[in-house]
């Protein structure tokens, strides 16, 4: 083996200036608006043979620039807008169906209703809730949380398939087809004649939600990364605005903005549940389940239209195996004992350059990754430690299991669907996401005090803590006023406490989602290996599955007379977690300057690919 072979396996040094390189011939990306902050042009370059070429030195920020200049986002290209539209349609169908689930399973057919689940007409239905199967709160909690759990576990399968076999676009397309089947089946159990046979209706319902969860598993881990893949800026790049201000078009800031827009689209879609809950209440569940399926048909249309305009990172068949081999190297020779100490010494054991130095030779058939891949795995593990705390926020955002639904059953409705209040969650996000995206975040950046990732996480957890305290107080007041005391949720009478008191319980932690969930997606994309982004993004989504599993485990306990104490426990837990982010996890505030190099995403930097290219050159 040539003496210089080791060079092929060494990590490329990370230039503190974030040396800009790119994939396209010189191209200008710009927003249609002129004269504002968004009028940003990002010049990109490549050599004619596809090899990397350095950019004009005038576009390369110095270390001083990186410390002093304001960082701004690149505009969202049309292909990215299409990804957001697909997410809107998918989430509208998902949440539109899910919105009526609780009442469909939990509550019986309303007296005097039409047999399709709608309430009785006129005054008789004023304080009724839509219902169908009458299986009770425990069964409703179990099935809905099972659906939530599967919808956020299946993305791990989808992420692996995407990264190794199909690529992001094909995985989304397959998920879309599977989801279409689920929507057709879901209407069947809501037909009045089928509801009349509760066992058959429940069976068809369970089949449909299992298929719908599988579809979400293919779509969810791929759409966000595919959106971020469309970013026109890969490295920090200098730009002079029309105002004369020098700024840095920053890839991390760009991803943050894209994901905030993406999350806004998620919640615009989920607001569609308002229409489905009213449809179930006034007409029947068949209409509530049919409407999301009709909207779902937007997805295949947009996928066809945008196909040719998307950058599609090719799948990397060996990447999961590579990660497994890396961990095998790390754990060999008693490495598991050093794991808890971490540090360079632990991680260096898997780097090819170190293996070459220690063993004097390197078998590239067994060690087929490069040093940088080990560094990418290391930074991913660091981010995943934060993900482990997010289920606590998820539980604090709306309570454990069916807590809010049980609370609402004891409150005065005055004709309002008891599950309508849930829609103030997406409403809060729809209102506040633009405020953060185009107001608060740029304002703090302008003053040189950008809101760092761990600060955002802290704010989100504190907002959840506040809402849990409010919920505990409201539930206590219900118990105090109810004719049935601490068994208020099954009482034949309701209290005078209005359903509208649930609004702060729902809206406040919803704003927290913008700080917590969006930041977790940002960490997943920017700190994951270039060829494993869908899988790591799926791990960020997995937090919701963990929260659903906890809710399932606690389903029987979330009932009278103990409905106050889960809120108290969540308030304590979210406050404790909020204290960890600015202390224990403060190292995650350091931004990643290089995280989406398309050569690495395509596997072009892998030792095998480099060897093959060198052989072609020699021939």
């Amino acid at each position: 083996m040539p003496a210089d072979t080791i060079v092929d396996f060494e990590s490329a040094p990370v230039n503190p200036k974030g040396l800009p390189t790119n994939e396209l011939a010189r191209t200008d990306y710009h927003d249609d608006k002129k004269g504002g902050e968004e009028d940003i042009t990002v010049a990109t370059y490549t050599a004619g043979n596809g090899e990397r070429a350095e950019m004009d030195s005038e576009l390369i920020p110095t270390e001083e620039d990186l410390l002093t200049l304001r960082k701004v986002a690149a505009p969202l290209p049309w292909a990215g807008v299409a990804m957001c539209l697909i997410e809107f349609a998918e989430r509208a169908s998902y949440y539109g169906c899910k919105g009526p689930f609780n009442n469909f399973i939990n509550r019986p057919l309303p007296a005097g209703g039409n047999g399709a689940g709608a309430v009785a007409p006129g005054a008789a239905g004023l304080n009724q809730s839509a219902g169908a199967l009458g299986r009770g709160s425990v069964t409703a909690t179990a099935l809905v949380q099972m659906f939530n759990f599967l919808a956020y576990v299946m993305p791990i399968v989808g992420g692996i398939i995407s990264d190794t076999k199909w690529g992001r676009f094909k995985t989304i397309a397959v998920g879309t087809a599977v989801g279409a089947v689920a929507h057709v089946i879901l209407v069947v159990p809501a037909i009045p004649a089928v509801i009349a046979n509760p066992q058959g209706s429940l069976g068809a319902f369970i089949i449909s939600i299992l298929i719908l969860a599988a579809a979400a598993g293919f779509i969810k881990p791929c759409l966000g990364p595919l959106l971020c893949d469309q970013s026109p800026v890969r490295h920090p790049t200098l730009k002079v605005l029309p105002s004369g201000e020098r700024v840095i078009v920053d890839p991390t800031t760009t991803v943050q903005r894209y994901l905030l827009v993406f999350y806004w689209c998620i919640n615009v879609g989920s607001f569609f549940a308002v229409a489905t809950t009213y449809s179930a209440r006034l007409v029947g569940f068949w209409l509530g389940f049919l409407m999301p399926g009709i909207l779902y048909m937007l997805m295949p249309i947009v996928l066809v239209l945008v196909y040719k305009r998307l950058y599609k990172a090719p799948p990397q068949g060996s990447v999961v195996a590579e990660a497994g081999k890396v961990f095998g190297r790390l754990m060999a020779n008693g490495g598991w004992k050093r794991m808890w100490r971490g540090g360079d010494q632990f991680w260096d054991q898997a780097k090819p350059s170190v293996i070459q130095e220690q063993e004097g030779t390197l078998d590239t058939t067994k060690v087929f990754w490069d040093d940088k891949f080990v560094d990418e795995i290391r930074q991913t593990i660091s981010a995943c430690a934060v993900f482990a705390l997010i289920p606590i926020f998820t539980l604090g955002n709306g309570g454990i299991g069916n807590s809010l639904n049980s609370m609402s059953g004891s409150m005065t409705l005055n004709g309002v669907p008891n599950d309508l209040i849930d829609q103030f969650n997406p409403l809060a996000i729809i209102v506040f996401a633009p405020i953060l995206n185009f107001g608060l975040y740029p304002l703090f950046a302008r003053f040189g005090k950008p809101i760092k990732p761990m600060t955002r996480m802290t704010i989100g957890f504190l907002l959840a803590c506040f809402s849990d305290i409010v919920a505990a107080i409201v539930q206590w007041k219900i118990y105090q006023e109810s004719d049935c005391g601490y068994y208020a949720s099954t009482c034949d009478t309701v209290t005078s406490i209005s359903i509208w008191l649930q609004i702060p319980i729902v809206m406040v932690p919803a704003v927290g989602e913008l700080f917590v969930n969006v930041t977790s997606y940002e960490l997943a994309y920017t700190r994951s290996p270039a060829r494993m982004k869908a899988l790591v993004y799926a791990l960020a989504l997995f937090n919701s599955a963990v929260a659903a599993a906890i809710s399932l485990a606690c389903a029987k306990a979330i009932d009278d007379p103990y409905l106050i104490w889960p809120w108290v426990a969540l308030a304590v837990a979210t406050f404790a977690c909020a204290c960890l982010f600015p202390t224990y996890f403060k190292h995650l505030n350091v931004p990643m300057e290089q995280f989406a190099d398309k050569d690495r995403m395509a596997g072009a930097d892998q030792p095998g690919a480099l060897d093959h290219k060198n052989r072609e050159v020699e021939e």
Side-chain angles (χ1 to χ4, degrees), residues 536-553:
V536 178
Y537 195 89
L539 294 177
L541 296 171
F542 181 68
N543 303 307
S544 295
V546 175
I550 294 172
S551 286
L552 275 172

Side-chain angles (χ1 to χ4, degrees), residues 116-278:
V119 301
L126 194 62
N127 282 309
Q128 286 183 331
S129 296
L133 303 183
R135 293 287 178 154
S137 176
V138 172
T139 301
T141 297
L143 286 178
V144 173
Q145 294 306 323
M146 178 193 73
F147 175 67
N148 288 341
F149 178 77
L150 291 175
Y152 287 97
V153 166
M154 287 301 295
I156 294 179
V157 177
I160 292 173
I161 292 173
S162 170
D163 286 337
T164 60
K165 298 294 182 184
W166 292 348
R168 299 197 241 288
F169 185 87
K170 183 178 178 180
T171 307
I172 292 169
V174 171
T176 300
V178 172
V181 174
H183 278 288
V184 172
I185 297 175
L186 184 58
V187 178
V188 175
I191 298 171
V194 181
I195 291 177
N197 177 12
Q199 286 294 112
S201 177
L202 182 63
F205 176 79
I206 292 174
I207 291 172
S208 66
I209 65 174
L210 289 176
I211 299 175
L212 191 60
F218 285 110
I219 298 168
K220 284 296 292 177
C222 302
L223 261 179
L226 187 58
L227 165 66
C228 295
D229 288 348
Q230 310 313 310
S231 171
V233 57
R234 299 284 162 173
H235 302 273
T237 308
L238 285 175
K239 168 66 182 176
V240 180
L241 298 179
S243 63
E245 180 187 6
R246 295 172 73 244
V247 297
I248 295 175
V249 185
D250 180 56
T252 302
T253 305
T254 299
V255 166
Q256 178 189 325
R257 175 162 291 186
Y258 284 13
L259 289 174
L260 270 171
V261 173
F262 188 72
Y263 204 73
W264 182 83
C265 291
I266 289 174
N267 287 274
V268 172
S270 66
F271 202 66
F272 189 66
V274 173
T276 59
T277 53
Y278 266 105

Side-chain angles (χ1 to χ4, degrees), residues 69 144 195 207 323 362 370 433 446 507 549 565 587 596 608:
L69 296 184
V144 173
I195 291 177
I207 291 172
L362 190 68
D370 61 0
R446 188 174 293 276
M507 290 191 75
W565 298 109
H587 60 282

Side-chain angles (χ1 to χ4, degrees), residues 386-410:
V386 168
F387 298 165
L389 298 180
I390 296 179
I392 296 174
F393 171 83
T394 304
L395 292 171
N397 180 12
I400 300 175
N402 215 28
S403 299
L404 268 181
N405 193 267
S406 297
M407 180 191 292
S408 67
S410 309

Side-chain angles (χ1 to χ4, degrees), residues 263 393 397 424-426 428-429 505-514:
Y263 204 73
F393 171 83
N397 180 12
F424 280 87
N425 176 290
I429 293 171
I505 302 171
V506 173
M507 290 191 75
V508 171
V511 178
E513 290 182 37
L514 294 168

Side-chain angles (χ1 to χ4, degrees), residues 34-120:
K34 301 297 180 182
E37 177 182 294
E38 300 310 319
D39 181 24
I40 299 167
T41 301
V42 183
T44 58
Y45 299 81
T46 187
N49 59 2
E51 297 179 355
R52 297 175 184 172
E54 294 186 3
M55 292 179 64
D56 190 324
S57 60
E58 294 181 359
L59 299 175
I60 303 173
T62 64
E63 291 186 46
E64 182 180 359
D65 290 334
L66 291 169
L67 292 173
T68 58
L69 296 184
R70 185 164 62 96
K71 295 180 180 179
V72 299
L76 183 63
W78 282 111
V81 174
M83 293 301 97
C84 291
L85 182 59
I86 291 171
E87 180 68 356
F88 157 75
E90 192 274 335
R91 290 292 91 180
S93 73
Y94 177 88
Y95 284 108
C97 291
K98 181 183 170 184
F101 278 1
N102 257 316
N103 281 341
F104 181 78
I105 305 165
N106 182 12
R107 302 186 183 280
L109 287 169
N114 62 2
V119 301

